[in-house]
Amino acid sequence: MLVAVFILTICVLPFWFGRYGVYVPQSENTESTFLKLWHIDSFEGGSGNRAEFLNRIAVKYHAKKTSCYVVVQTLTEEEAINAISNGNLPDLISFSHHIANHFYDKLQKLELKSPARTEIQKFAEKDGKTYAIPWYMSGYCLIGNSAVDERVLTQLSVDTAYSFGNPDAKNPKFAYTAGLKNSYAQVAMLENSTARANLKSCDPKMLEKTSFEAYSDFTKNNAAVLLGTARDFYRVQNRVSLNGMQACAYVPLQKFSDLIQYIGILNPQSTAQSENFISFLLSNENQRALAGIGLFPTTDIEIYADSEYKKFEKAMQTITKSISIFATPDEKLALYKKAINSMC
């Protein structure tokens, strides 16, 4: 009888107490911890799902750090804003400057040394302190359609982008299609060129269209030049390789991109564990894996073999201008209006 009671005590009671929230001492290696990571998409990326990519990294991290689970949750900008306004915060948040003004005052200062390039890391720093780390980036690219104007194959540049197309035709071939709502593609053009847009060769609805409408116009030969993102670059390359389009020219824009995704910490009680995960995410191994979803590393490593992707990658390594995660909506609006006025 005493033996039975002893077995019950050492085997059943610890399980019962653990199941119902009474602390049961465990070794450090077996005590499970959970980190909630919100991922908010604010811009078009490359060729794959960024949340799924994060999930794969989280699984790998758990395999190495068996006591820690990172739970990835995808939220829209609106969902994240509503949750934050109601005081609901995750441990970690993956975000861009588009939404940062809703919570940047809650970001925890990081002691972690960032492996990202100094030129882009600075956009997540304030008063010499780091509050987030850029973990992937994308950019803008001019794409020339040779079916509309074959000269784009040899002459496309930021300064010639407005000179193609046939504005005298019955159905004008617009030389420029933006269609990038909530993006700063026009700022990128301004940073790379002093040429003003020729409105006669521009799509008059270029600022009203969605990015997909702009892409669709381009692939239907209604535009000689598309100002797109790495997602458009990927789509067009696929169409050309599958013989669905004639050859196209690609000119990635250097100097400026606001298409940078950061990761930061909102829960001060999980700072140490969260920093460990961020370090893992930013490792060379995981940065190289970005090639699988058509995005670019924030470090100096090179991950692409394809010649056009390598050209895009090199352009991303020259980015020195972006938008701070601490920029106010008024500051960003002023930047956007300046670019639009300069172009059109």
Coordinates of all heavy atoms in Angstrom, one line a residue, residues 33 38 53 92 95 118 129 151 158 169 177 186 194 197 221-222 249 253 282 311-312:
T33 N 8.8 27.3 -23.2 CA 8.4 28.7 -23.3 C 7.8 29.0 -24.7 O 8.1 28.3 -25.6 CB 9.6 29.7 -23.0 OG1 10.6 29.4 -24.0 CG2 10.2 29.5 -21.7
W38 N 3.9 38.4 -34.3 CA 3.0 38.9 -35.2 C 3.8 39.3 -36.5 O 4.8 40.0 -36.4 CB 2.3 40.2 -34.8 CG 1.2 40.0 -33.8 CD1 0.8 38.8 -33.3 CD2 0.5 41.0 -33.1 NE1 -0.2 39.0 -32.4 CE2 -0.5 40.3 -32.2 CE3 0.4 42.4 -33.2 CZ2 -1.4 41.0 -31.4 CZ3 -0.4 43.1 -32.4 CH2 -1.3 42.4 -31.5
F53 N 7.4 31.4 -44.5 CA 8.9 31.4 -44.3 C 9.2 31.6 -42.8 O 10.1 30.8 -42.3 CB 9.5 32.6 -45.1 CG 11.0 32.7 -45.0 CD1 11.8 32.0 -45.8 CD2 11.6 33.5 -44.0 CE1 13.2 32.1 -45.7 CE2 12.9 33.6 -43.8 CZ 13.8 32.9 -44.7
L92 N 7.0 39.5 -30.1 CA 7.8 40.0 -31.2 C 6.8 40.5 -32.3 O 5.7 40.0 -32.5 CB 8.6 38.9 -31.8 CG 9.8 38.3 -31.0 CD1 10.0 36.9 -31.2 CD2 11.0 39.1 -31.3
F95 N 7.4 43.9 -39.1 CA 6.7 45.1 -39.6 C 7.5 45.9 -40.5 O 8.7 45.8 -40.6 CB 6.2 45.9 -38.4 CG 7.3 46.6 -37.7 CD1 7.7 47.9 -37.9 CD2 8.1 45.9 -36.7 CE1 8.8 48.5 -37.2 CE2 9.1 46.5 -36.0 CZ 9.5 47.8 -36.3
T118 N 24.9 48.8 -42.0 CA 24.7 50.0 -41.2 C 23.8 51.0 -41.9 O 23.1 51.7 -41.3 CB 26.1 50.7 -40.9 OG1 26.9 49.7 -40.3 CG2 26.0 51.9 -40.1
K129 N 20.2 54.5 -30.1 CA 19.8 53.2 -29.6 C 19.0 52.4 -30.7 O 18.3 53.0 -31.5 CB 18.9 53.4 -28.4 CG 19.7 54.1 -27.2 CD 18.7 54.4 -26.1 CE 19.5 55.1 -25.0 NZ 18.6 55.5 -23.8
R151 N 13.4 49.2 -78.3 CA 14.5 49.9 -77.8 C 14.8 49.8 -76.3 O 15.9 50.0 -75.8 CB 14.3 51.4 -78.1 CG 14.3 51.8 -79.6 CD 14.0 53.3 -79.8 NE 12.7 53.6 -79.2 CZ 12.3 54.8 -78.9 NH1 13.1 55.9 -79.1 NH2 11.1 55.1 -78.4
V158 N 16.7 55.0 -65.8 CA 15.7 55.9 -65.0 C 15.5 57.2 -65.8 O 14.5 57.8 -65.6 CB 16.3 56.1 -63.6 CG1 16.1 54.9 -62.7 CG2 17.7 56.6 -63.7
A169 N -0.4 57.1 -81.2 CA -1.2 56.0 -81.7 C -2.7 56.2 -81.2 O -2.9 56.9 -80.3 CB -0.7 54.7 -81.2
T177 N 3.7 53.2 -65.9 CA 2.6 52.8 -65.1 C 3.0 52.5 -63.7 O 3.9 51.7 -63.5 CB 1.9 51.5 -65.7 OG1 1.7 51.7 -67.1 CG2 0.6 51.2 -65.0
Q186 N 7.7 56.3 -56.4 CA 8.0 57.6 -57.0 C 9.2 58.3 -56.3 O 10.0 59.0 -56.9 CB 6.8 58.6 -56.9 CG 5.6 58.1 -57.8 CD 4.8 57.0 -57.1 OE1 5.0 56.7 -55.9 NE2 3.8 56.4 -57.8
T194 N 16.7 62.9 -62.3 CA 16.2 64.3 -62.2 C 15.3 64.6 -63.4 O 14.7 65.7 -63.5 CB 17.4 65.3 -62.4 OG1 18.1 65.1 -63.6 CG2 18.3 65.2 -61.2
A197 N 8.6 63.7 -65.6 CA 7.7 62.8 -66.4 C 7.1 63.6 -67.6 O 6.8 64.7 -67.4 CB 6.6 62.2 -65.5
N221 N 0.5 44.6 -73.1 CA 1.2 45.5 -74.0 C 0.6 46.8 -74.1 O 0.6 47.5 -75.1 CB 1.3 44.8 -75.4 CG 2.1 43.5 -75.4 OD1 3.0 43.3 -74.6 ND2 1.7 42.7 -76.4
N222 N 0.0 47.3 -73.0 CA -0.6 48.6 -72.9 C 0.4 49.6 -72.2 O 0.1 50.7 -72.0 CB -1.9 48.6 -72.1 CG -3.0 47.9 -72.9 OD1 -3.0 48.0 -74.1 ND2 -3.9 47.2 -72.2
A249 N 13.5 44.1 -70.4 CA 14.7 44.7 -69.8 C 14.4 45.0 -68.4 O 13.2 45.4 -68.0 CB 15.1 45.9 -70.6
L253 N 16.2 49.8 -59.2 CA 16.5 51.2 -58.7 C 17.4 51.1 -57.5 O 17.1 50.4 -56.5 CB 15.2 51.9 -58.4 CG 14.2 52.2 -59.6 CD1 13.1 53.1 -59.2 CD2 15.0 52.8 -60.8
L282 N 18.4 36.1 -38.2 CA 19.4 36.9 -39.0 C 20.7 36.2 -39.3 O 21.6 36.8 -39.9 CB 19.7 38.2 -38.2 CG 18.9 39.5 -38.5 CD1 19.1 40.0 -39.9 CD2 17.4 39.2 -38.2
K311 N 21.8 41.1 -60.3 CA 21.8 42.5 -60.6 C 20.9 43.2 -59.6 O 21.3 44.3 -59.1 CB 21.4 42.7 -62.1 CG 21.5 44.2 -62.5 CD 21.4 44.3 -64.1 CE 20.0 43.9 -64.6 NZ 19.8 44.2 -66.0
F312 N 19.8 42.7 -59.4 CA 18.8 43.2 -58.4 C 19.5 43.2 -57.0 O 19.4 44.2 -56.2 CB 17.5 42.4 -58.4 CG 16.3 43.2 -58.0 CD1 15.1 43.1 -58.8 CD2 16.3 44.1 -57.0 CE1 14.0 43.8 -58.5 CE2 15.2 44.9 -56.7 CZ 14.0 44.7 -57.4

